[in-house]
Every structure is written in C-alpha cells, then in structure tokens.
Amino acid sequence: LGLEALEVVFTLELVNFEKVKDTWDMSEEEKIDFANARKDVGARLFKEGRYSMAMERYKKIVDLFNYVDSYKEEDNKVKAKELKKVCKLNRAACQLKVNLFAEAKASCDTVLKDDSHNVKALFRRAQAQFGLKMLLECAQDVKKVLDLEPNNREARALAKEVAKAQKEEDQKSKGLFGKMCQALGTGPIREPFVDRRFDFDAEERLQKEAET
C-alpha cells in the first residue's frame, strides 16, 4: 500500500531455559573444560578486534583459577596453572591493543614472577614499558628476549624503536641542559643518559662478526 512503518515491534517467547552450572559447583575437570571453551571465545573475539570483550573472558578464567593449589589431582593442577598463565598473557595482549600499558605490564609481572624466562611475558612487558616511555627498562627486557631468542624479529624491531626513541630523548635533554647552562653561564655539558643506553646496533654487529 506504499505505507512506511515508523516502528517495528517483535514479540519473543522463551520456549526453554537451561541454567548453566555455577563455576563453584563444577568439578576440577569441568572447570578446565569450561576455561578452555572460554579461552577459545576470547581468541575469536581478539581476532575480530573486540579486545575489551576478549579481555573480560580472559579475566574470568584467571579468577576461576585463583585457588588451584587446593586441587586434589596433580594433573588438573598443572593444566589449571598453565591455562591461567596463558590467559594472563592473552589479557596482556588485549591490554596493549587498547593502550592499557600499566595494566599490561602488571599482567606480565605476575607471569614473570613464577616464570622469569617466559619470552612472551618479557616481550609484552617490553611493549608496555615502551608505551609508558620506560625506555631503560624496555631495553633491558628486549635484551633478555634476544638473549633467549637471538632471531626474534619482533624483539629486534622493538630494539631499533627503543634505540631511536632513546636518541631522541638524549637530544631533547642535551638541548634542555644547553639552554639551562647558557642561562647560568656554566661550563661544558655532560651528555645525559649515555652511560644508561644499551647499544643494540653494536650488539648486532658483534653477533654478525661472531657468526662469520
């Protein structure tokens, strides 16, 4: 009839409803199966770019395994701890995507407390520190990653970014100190931060020389 509807109303009828078991009522095996399913949902959400929702899924899994030391079965305890660690790292990846650098660093810190050589935790903490402009700490973590995995491309790329950012900071500081000294009429200026820098380029040259 050529009429336009200004409002459409849908009536929905709930035919059936099945209450999901609460996590505190689950057995150890059920909790692990539930966590694996939630982890897969989190991974899908991450791929879709829905980082905040993915972050919430990972947080629930971490919270689910707050008391794994009380688990009776050793095999379940190992699986739960591994799931908790993976979800902390995945949560950190989400936090980096939404620029929650302090939170991402904290997530990685908790993993590194028990697993100090975890490459993913070290690298993601380095990314968080770079976002927080903690260049010295970032460089230290990047070096640890490269010590463990010398051919890690992401770490090498971040190393170059850190070196570039540090040089820029040094130039800014040198210019600032120069102006201060001009105003005060003092003597020569000590170059700032030189003794704190890690020369990634020199490290790379030394490695190439060693390989040849």
mmCIF file of all heavy atoms in Angstrom, residues 40-73:
data_model
loop_
_atom_site.group_PDB
_atom_site.id
_atom_site.type_symbol
_atom_site.label_atom_id
_atom_site.label_comp_id
_atom_site.label_asym_id
_atom_site.label_seq_id
_atom_site.Cartn_x
_atom_site.Cartn_y
_atom_site.Cartn_z
ATOM 1 N N ASP A 40 38.869 -20.108 24.008
ATOM 2 C CA ASP A 40 38.637 -20.120 22.559
ATOM 3 C C ASP A 40 37.743 -18.953 22.143
ATOM 4 O O ASP A 40 37.955 -18.341 21.092
ATOM 5 C CB ASP A 40 37.993 -21.447 22.143
ATOM 6 C CG ASP A 40 38.951 -22.626 22.274
ATOM 7 O OD1 ASP A 40 40.170 -22.383 22.357
ATOM 8 O OD2 ASP A 40 38.480 -23.772 22.309
ATOM 9 N N VAL A 41 36.761 -18.639 22.977
ATOM 10 C CA VAL A 41 35.890 -17.489 22.688
ATOM 11 C C VAL A 41 36.713 -16.194 22.737
ATOM 12 O O VAL A 41 36.572 -15.322 21.874
ATOM 13 C CB VAL A 41 34.721 -17.411 23.703
ATOM 14 C CG1 VAL A 41 33.940 -16.108 23.533
ATOM 15 C CG2 VAL A 41 33.788 -18.605 23.531
ATOM 16 N N GLY A 42 37.583 -16.101 23.726
ATOM 17 C CA GLY A 42 38.445 -14.928 23.843
ATOM 18 C C GLY A 42 39.342 -14.766 22.625
ATOM 19 O O GLY A 42 39.535 -13.654 22.119
ATOM 20 N N ALA A 43 39.894 -15.883 22.136
ATOM 21 C CA ALA A 43 40.756 -15.838 20.950
ATOM 22 C C ALA A 43 39.982 -15.357 19.722
ATOM 23 O O ALA A 43 40.491 -14.561 18.919
ATOM 24 C CB ALA A 43 41.351 -17.216 20.698
ATOM 25 N N ARG A 44 38.737 -15.830 19.591
ATOM 26 C CA ARG A 44 37.903 -15.398 18.457
ATOM 27 C C ARG A 44 37.597 -13.906 18.543
ATOM 28 O O ARG A 44 37.688 -13.183 17.539
ATOM 29 C CB ARG A 44 36.602 -16.204 18.431
ATOM 30 C CG ARG A 44 35.635 -15.767 17.327
ATOM 31 C CD ARG A 44 34.425 -16.676 17.267
ATOM 32 N NE ARG A 44 33.704 -16.739 18.527
ATOM 33 C CZ ARG A 44 32.859 -15.802 18.955
ATOM 34 N NH1 ARG A 44 32.664 -14.706 18.244
ATOM 35 N NH2 ARG A 44 32.222 -15.948 20.104
ATOM 36 N N LEU A 45 37.259 -13.440 19.745
ATOM 37 C CA LEU A 45 36.972 -12.018 19.932
ATOM 38 C C LEU A 45 38.196 -11.162 19.645
ATOM 39 O O LEU A 45 38.098 -10.079 19.064
ATOM 40 C CB LEU A 45 36.484 -11.769 21.371
ATOM 41 C CG LEU A 45 35.100 -12.323 21.719
ATOM 42 C CD1 LEU A 45 34.866 -12.258 23.230
ATOM 43 C CD2 LEU A 45 34.008 -11.559 20.988
ATOM 44 N N PHE A 46 39.366 -11.648 20.038
ATOM 45 C CA PHE A 46 40.612 -10.913 19.784
ATOM 46 C C PHE A 46 40.846 -10.773 18.282
ATOM 47 O O PHE A 46 41.200 -9.688 17.798
ATOM 48 C CB PHE A 46 41.789 -11.638 20.441
ATOM 49 C CG PHE A 46 43.093 -10.904 20.322
ATOM 50 C CD1 PHE A 46 43.463 -9.958 21.271
ATOM 51 C CD2 PHE A 46 43.958 -11.151 19.259
ATOM 52 C CE1 PHE A 46 44.673 -9.269 21.162
ATOM 53 C CE2 PHE A 46 45.158 -10.471 19.142
ATOM 54 C CZ PHE A 46 45.520 -9.531 20.103
ATOM 55 N N LYS A 47 40.658 -11.863 17.540
ATOM 56 C CA LYS A 47 40.853 -11.823 16.089
ATOM 57 C C LYS A 47 39.877 -10.861 15.427
ATOM 58 O O LYS A 47 40.183 -10.269 14.390
ATOM 59 C CB LYS A 47 40.689 -13.223 15.504
ATOM 60 C CG LYS A 47 41.850 -14.157 15.809
ATOM 61 C CD LYS A 47 41.617 -15.542 15.233
ATOM 62 C CE LYS A 47 42.755 -16.479 15.580
ATOM 63 N NZ LYS A 47 42.516 -17.869 15.080
ATOM 64 N N GLU A 48 38.689 -10.728 16.017
ATOM 65 C CA GLU A 48 37.676 -9.822 15.474
ATOM 66 C C GLU A 48 37.916 -8.370 15.892
ATOM 67 O O GLU A 48 37.169 -7.472 15.492
ATOM 68 C CB GLU A 48 36.283 -10.264 15.942
ATOM 69 C CG GLU A 48 35.841 -11.607 15.367
ATOM 70 C CD GLU A 48 34.546 -12.124 15.994
ATOM 71 O OE1 GLU A 48 34.040 -11.460 16.932
ATOM 72 O OE2 GLU A 48 34.051 -13.174 15.557
ATOM 73 N N GLY A 49 38.945 -8.143 16.704
ATOM 74 C CA GLY A 49 39.246 -6.787 17.144
ATOM 75 C C GLY A 49 38.403 -6.309 18.305
ATOM 76 O O GLY A 49 38.406 -5.122 18.629
ATOM 77 N N ARG A 50 37.708 -7.229 18.966
ATOM 78 C CA ARG A 50 36.853 -6.867 20.115
ATOM 79 C C ARG A 50 37.656 -7.121 21.388
ATOM 80 O O ARG A 50 37.408 -8.047 22.156
ATOM 81 C CB ARG A 50 35.566 -7.680 20.055
ATOM 82 C CG ARG A 50 34.803 -7.434 18.770
ATOM 83 C CD ARG A 50 33.804 -8.531 18.443
ATOM 84 N NE ARG A 50 32.610 -8.451 19.273
ATOM 85 C CZ ARG A 50 31.614 -9.331 19.197
ATOM 86 N NH1 ARG A 50 31.684 -10.346 18.350
ATOM 87 N NH2 ARG A 50 30.563 -9.205 19.975
ATOM 88 N N TYR A 51 38.648 -6.267 21.601
ATOM 89 C CA TYR A 51 39.666 -6.504 22.624
ATOM 90 C C TYR A 51 39.121 -6.422 24.050
ATOM 91 O O TYR A 51 39.520 -7.210 24.906
ATOM 92 C CB TYR A 51 40.825 -5.522 22.434
ATOM 93 C CG TYR A 51 41.420 -5.574 21.058
ATOM 94 C CD1 TYR A 51 41.426 -4.452 20.221
ATOM 95 C CD2 TYR A 51 41.953 -6.755 20.558
ATOM 96 C CE1 TYR A 51 41.958 -4.502 18.940
ATOM 97 C CE2 TYR A 51 42.490 -6.814 19.277
ATOM 98 C CZ TYR A 51 42.479 -5.677 18.477
ATOM 99 O OH TYR A 51 43.000 -5.740 17.199
ATOM 100 N N SER A 52 38.236 -5.485 24.300
ATOM 101 C CA SER A 52 37.700 -5.337 25.660
ATOM 102 C C SER A 52 36.888 -6.564 26.069
ATOM 103 O O SER A 52 36.986 -7.039 27.206
ATOM 104 C CB SER A 52 36.832 -4.079 25.757
ATOM 105 O OG SER A 52 37.614 -2.924 25.564
ATOM 106 N N MET A 53 36.102 -7.092 25.138
ATOM 107 C CA MET A 53 35.313 -8.289 25.431
ATOM 108 C C MET A 53 36.218 -9.503 25.621
ATOM 109 O O MET A 53 36.000 -10.327 26.515
ATOM 110 C CB MET A 53 34.301 -8.543 24.315
ATOM 111 C CG MET A 53 33.207 -7.494 24.232
ATOM 112 S SD MET A 53 31.970 -7.871 22.954
ATOM 113 C CE MET A 53 31.163 -9.288 23.699
ATOM 114 N N ALA A 54 37.249 -9.606 24.787
ATOM 115 C CA ALA A 54 38.203 -10.703 24.925
ATOM 116 C C ALA A 54 38.910 -10.633 26.276
ATOM 117 O O ALA A 54 39.109 -11.646 26.956
ATOM 118 C CB ALA A 54 39.220 -10.658 23.793
ATOM 119 N N MET A 55 39.255 -9.408 26.671
ATOM 120 C CA MET A 55 39.924 -9.189 27.948
ATOM 121 C C MET A 55 39.091 -9.702 29.120
ATOM 122 O O MET A 55 39.611 -10.314 30.062
ATOM 123 C CB MET A 55 40.191 -7.680 28.114
ATOM 124 C CG MET A 55 41.307 -7.330 29.084
ATOM 125 S SD MET A 55 41.436 -5.535 29.376
ATOM 126 C CE MET A 55 41.074 -4.865 27.772
ATOM 127 N N GLU A 56 37.783 -9.475 29.047
ATOM 128 C CA GLU A 56 36.877 -9.928 30.106
ATOM 129 C C GLU A 56 36.831 -11.451 30.183
ATOM 130 O O GLU A 56 36.768 -12.033 31.264
ATOM 131 C CB GLU A 56 35.476 -9.372 29.877
ATOM 132 C CG GLU A 56 35.323 -7.907 30.277
ATOM 133 C CD GLU A 56 35.680 -7.675 31.736
ATOM 134 O OE1 GLU A 56 35.185 -8.420 32.598
ATOM 135 O OE2 GLU A 56 36.464 -6.756 32.008
ATOM 136 N N ARG A 57 36.860 -12.113 29.017
ATOM 137 C CA ARG A 57 36.855 -13.582 29.008
ATOM 138 C C ARG A 57 38.104 -14.114 29.693
ATOM 139 O O ARG A 57 38.040 -15.043 30.502
ATOM 140 C CB ARG A 57 36.782 -14.115 27.567
ATOM 141 C CG ARG A 57 35.534 -13.728 26.795
ATOM 142 C CD ARG A 57 34.242 -14.180 27.477
ATOM 143 N NE ARG A 57 33.058 -13.912 26.681
ATOM 144 C CZ ARG A 57 32.457 -12.735 26.580
ATOM 145 N NH1 ARG A 57 32.956 -11.689 27.208
ATOM 146 N NH2 ARG A 57 31.358 -12.598 25.868
ATOM 147 N N TYR A 58 39.234 -13.525 29.373
ATOM 148 C CA TYR A 58 40.492 -13.990 29.966
ATOM 149 C C TYR A 58 40.541 -13.712 31.465
ATOM 150 O O TYR A 58 41.056 -14.519 32.243
ATOM 151 C CB TYR A 58 41.684 -13.335 29.257
ATOM 152 C CG TYR A 58 41.824 -13.755 27.806
ATOM 153 C CD1 TYR A 58 41.977 -12.810 26.798
ATOM 154 C CD2 TYR A 58 41.782 -15.099 27.446
ATOM 155 C CE1 TYR A 58 42.097 -13.187 25.464
ATOM 156 C CE2 TYR A 58 41.901 -15.490 26.118
ATOM 157 C CZ TYR A 58 42.059 -14.524 25.136
ATOM 158 O OH TYR A 58 42.174 -14.910 23.817
ATOM 159 N N LYS A 59 39.996 -12.575 31.867
ATOM 160 C CA LYS A 59 39.976 -12.231 33.295
ATOM 161 C C LYS A 59 39.172 -13.250 34.095
ATOM 162 O O LYS A 59 39.572 -13.653 35.195
ATOM 163 C CB LYS A 59 39.387 -10.832 33.489
ATOM 164 C CG LYS A 59 39.336 -10.388 34.955
ATOM 165 C CD LYS A 59 38.678 -9.028 35.094
ATOM 166 C CE LYS A 59 38.649 -8.576 36.554
ATOM 167 N NZ LYS A 59 37.897 -9.512 37.416
ATOM 168 N N LYS A 60 38.031 -13.686 33.533
ATOM 169 C CA LYS A 60 37.190 -14.654 34.238
ATOM 170 C C LYS A 60 37.913 -15.980 34.441
ATOM 171 O O LYS A 60 37.756 -16.641 35.468
ATOM 172 C CB LYS A 60 35.885 -14.860 33.464
ATOM 173 C CG LYS A 60 34.926 -13.686 33.584
ATOM 174 C CD LYS A 60 33.642 -13.921 32.811
ATOM 175 C CE LYS A 60 32.704 -12.720 32.950
ATOM 176 N NZ LYS A 60 31.449 -12.905 32.164
ATOM 177 N N ILE A 61 38.714 -16.368 33.457
ATOM 178 C CA ILE A 61 39.474 -17.616 33.577
ATOM 179 C C ILE A 61 40.560 -17.480 34.640
ATOM 180 O O ILE A 61 40.769 -18.382 35.455
ATOM 181 C CB ILE A 61 40.092 -18.011 32.225
ATOM 182 C CG1 ILE A 61 38.982 -18.251 31.199
ATOM 183 C CG2 ILE A 61 40.959 -19.262 32.378
ATOM 184 C CD1 ILE A 61 39.474 -18.409 29.782
ATOM 185 N N VAL A 62 41.241 -16.339 34.649
ATOM 186 C CA VAL A 62 42.274 -16.093 35.668
ATOM 187 C C VAL A 62 41.650 -16.146 37.063
ATOM 188 O O VAL A 62 42.193 -16.766 37.976
ATOM 189 C CB VAL A 62 42.957 -14.721 35.429
ATOM 190 C CG1 VAL A 62 43.874 -14.362 36.603
ATOM 191 C CG2 VAL A 62 43.755 -14.749 34.130
ATOM 192 N N ASP A 63 40.484 -15.504 37.215
ATOM 193 C CA ASP A 63 39.793 -15.504 38.508
ATOM 194 C C ASP A 63 39.310 -16.910 38.886
ATOM 195 O O ASP A 63 39.288 -17.268 40.067
ATOM 196 C CB ASP A 63 38.588 -14.552 38.466
ATOM 197 C CG ASP A 63 39.005 -13.088 38.337
ATOM 198 O OD1 ASP A 63 40.182 -12.784 38.631
ATOM 199 O OD2 ASP A 63 38.163 -12.258 37.948
ATOM 200 N N LEU A 64 38.929 -17.694 37.888
ATOM 201 C CA LEU A 64 38.433 -19.049 38.131
ATOM 202 C C LEU A 64 39.495 -19.923 38.787
ATOM 203 O O LEU A 64 39.183 -20.794 39.608
ATOM 204 C CB LEU A 64 37.984 -19.680 36.800
ATOM 205 C CG LEU A 64 37.495 -21.127 36.832
ATOM 206 C CD1 LEU A 64 36.217 -21.258 37.665
ATOM 207 C CD2 LEU A 64 37.254 -21.633 35.410
ATOM 208 N N PHE A 65 40.759 -19.659 38.438
ATOM 209 C CA PHE A 65 41.856 -20.487 38.945
ATOM 210 C C PHE A 65 42.670 -19.773 40.034
ATOM 211 O O PHE A 65 43.890 -19.927 40.116
ATOM 212 C CB PHE A 65 42.768 -20.905 37.795
ATOM 213 C CG PHE A 65 42.105 -21.818 36.801
ATOM 214 C CD1 PHE A 65 42.154 -21.538 35.439
ATOM 215 C CD2 PHE A 65 41.415 -22.937 37.220
ATOM 216 C CE1 PHE A 65 41.542 -22.380 34.512
ATOM 217 C CE2 PHE A 65 40.791 -23.786 36.302
ATOM 218 C CZ PHE A 65 40.860 -23.501 34.954
ATOM 219 N N ASN A 66 41.993 -19.017 40.861
ATOM 220 C CA ASN A 66 42.689 -18.313 41.944
ATOM 221 C C ASN A 66 43.220 -19.254 43.017
ATOM 222 O O ASN A 66 44.180 -18.931 43.721
ATOM 223 C CB ASN A 66 41.757 -17.280 42.597
ATOM 224 C CG ASN A 66 41.820 -15.931 41.906
ATOM 225 O OD1 ASN A 66 42.802 -15.623 41.235
ATOM 226 N ND2 ASN A 66 40.782 -15.138 42.045
ATOM 227 N N TYR A 67 42.584 -20.416 43.168
ATOM 228 C CA TYR A 67 42.959 -21.329 44.264
ATOM 229 C C TYR A 67 43.300 -22.720 43.730
ATOM 230 O O TYR A 67 42.821 -23.723 44.246
ATOM 231 C CB TYR A 67 41.816 -21.412 45.281
ATOM 232 C CG TYR A 67 41.409 -20.060 45.833
ATOM 233 C CD1 TYR A 67 40.254 -19.423 45.380
ATOM 234 C CD2 TYR A 67 42.199 -19.409 46.776
ATOM 235 C CE1 TYR A 67 39.890 -18.179 45.864
ATOM 236 C CE2 TYR A 67 41.846 -18.158 47.263
ATOM 237 C CZ TYR A 67 40.684 -17.548 46.804
ATOM 238 O OH TYR A 67 40.332 -16.314 47.279
ATOM 239 N N VAL A 68 44.139 -22.779 42.710
ATOM 240 C CA VAL A 68 44.467 -24.073 42.093
ATOM 241 C C VAL A 68 45.323 -24.961 43.000
ATOM 242 O O VAL A 68 45.358 -26.178 42.826
ATOM 243 C CB VAL A 68 45.180 -23.886 40.736
ATOM 244 C CG1 VAL A 68 44.251 -23.291 39.720
ATOM 245 C CG2 VAL A 68 46.431 -23.040 40.888
ATOM 246 N N ASP A 69 46.010 -24.367 43.958
ATOM 247 C CA ASP A 69 46.853 -25.171 44.854
ATOM 248 C C ASP A 69 46.026 -26.140 45.699
ATOM 249 O O ASP A 69 46.563 -27.109 46.235
ATOM 250 C CB ASP A 69 47.684 -24.266 45.769
ATOM 251 C CG ASP A 69 48.795 -23.560 45.011
ATOM 252 O OD1 ASP A 69 49.263 -24.123 44.007
ATOM 253 O OD2 ASP A 69 49.174 -22.445 45.408
ATOM 254 N N SER A 70 44.727 -25.893 45.796
ATOM 255 C CA SER A 70 43.855 -26.778 46.573
ATOM 256 C C SER A 70 43.319 -27.944 45.744
ATOM 257 O O SER A 70 42.609 -28.807 46.267
ATOM 258 C CB SER A 70 42.683 -25.983 47.156
ATOM 259 O OG SER A 70 41.881 -25.444 46.116
ATOM 260 N N TYR A 71 43.676 -27.978 44.438
ATOM 261 C CA TYR A 71 43.204 -29.067 43.588
ATOM 262 C C TYR A 71 43.781 -30.405 44.073
ATOM 263 O O TYR A 71 44.948 -30.500 44.441
ATOM 264 C CB TYR A 71 43.622 -28.831 42.128
ATOM 265 C CG TYR A 71 42.704 -27.897 41.368
ATOM 266 C CD1 TYR A 71 41.974 -26.905 42.019
ATOM 267 C CD2 TYR A 71 42.561 -27.993 39.996
ATOM 268 C CE1 TYR A 71 41.142 -26.049 41.331
ATOM 269 C CE2 TYR A 71 41.728 -27.139 39.285
ATOM 270 C CZ TYR A 71 41.023 -26.169 39.963
ATOM 271 O OH TYR A 71 40.184 -25.318 39.281
ATOM 272 N N LYS A 72 42.949 -31.441 44.024
ATOM 273 C CA LYS A 72 43.369 -32.758 44.511
ATOM 274 C C LYS A 72 44.215 -33.505 43.485
ATOM 275 O O LYS A 72 45.188 -34.165 43.834
ATOM 276 C CB LYS A 72 42.135 -33.587 44.883
ATOM 277 C CG LYS A 72 41.349 -33.004 46.050
ATOM 278 C CD LYS A 72 40.089 -33.817 46.335
ATOM 279 C CE LYS A 72 39.289 -33.199 47.485
ATOM 280 N NZ LYS A 72 38.030 -33.955 47.750
ATOM 281 N N GLU A 73 43.819 -33.404 42.203
ATOM 282 C CA GLU A 73 44.539 -34.103 41.145
ATOM 283 C C GLU A 73 45.701 -33.247 40.639
ATOM 284 O O GLU A 73 45.499 -32.112 40.209
ATOM 285 C CB GLU A 73 43.594 -34.426 39.985
ATOM 286 C CG GLU A 73 42.482 -35.406 40.336
ATOM 287 C CD GLU A 73 43.022 -36.798 40.620
ATOM 288 O OE1 GLU A 73 44.077 -37.161 40.049
ATOM 289 O OE2 GLU A 73 42.385 -37.516 41.411
#
